[in-house]
Amino acid sequence: MASLHSYLLVSGLLFAIGLAGVVLRRNIIVVFMCLELMLSAANLTLVAFSRFNGSNGLPDYNGQMLVFFVITVAAAEVAVGLAIIVALYRARQTIHTDDLTSMRG
């Protein structure tokens, strides 16, 4: 059985990969996916803590319920984010962040 440290290590690696993608990549779709990877790493940490921080041998389900709420909000955020990216592409014909220096139309 995996320990809490294993989950935290995997979560930290996922978060670091996502952060590296946000900092290093210039394609706005890739940046958006890396942000979602960072959010998934945070969700994994939340589930791991709720699993290993139980009482009377039972896991604490409050953290897992919070993750379901976060996933729901993240799904709405993805829809809005992708709509903004599509609108930005239609207006500027590019999705590279270097070419998107101003928000004027």
Side-chain angles (χ1 to χ4, degrees), residues 18-34:
L19 182 63
V22 168
V23 172
L24 298 176
R25 299 301 300 257
R26 297 292 172 231
N27 188 330
I28 200 164
I29 298 286
V30 175
V31 169
F32 194 67
M33 289 185 336
C34 289

Side-chain angles (χ1 to χ4, degrees), residues 13-104:
L13 287 174
L14 286 176
F15 192 86
I17 291 170
L19 182 63
V22 168
V23 172
L24 298 176
R25 299 301 300 257
R26 297 292 172 231
N27 188 330
I28 200 164
I29 298 286
V30 175
V31 169
F32 194 67
M33 289 185 336
C34 289
L35 285 172
E36 293 298 321
L37 186 64
M38 292 168 64
L39 182 64
S40 296
N43 284 339
L44 179 63
T45 301
L46 205 59
V47 168
F49 276 123
S50 75
R51 169 66 178 92
F52 288 99
N53 193 19
S55 60
N56 299 330
L58 295 174
D60 184 14
Y61 293 111
N62 291 334
Q64 295 175 14
M65 293 304 296
L66 181 61
V67 167
F68 282 127
F69 178 73
V70 169
I71 288 171
T72 304
V73 172
E77 175 240 334
V78 165
V80 171
L82 287 177
I84 290 172
I85 290 171
V86 168
L88 195 62
Y89 178 75
R90 287 182 180 168
R92 302 288 176 94
Q93 298 296 321
T94 184
I95 54 172
H96 292 279
T97 56
D98 292 336
D99 300 334
L100 303 172
T101 56
S102 69
M103 295 300 288
R104 288 188 159 180

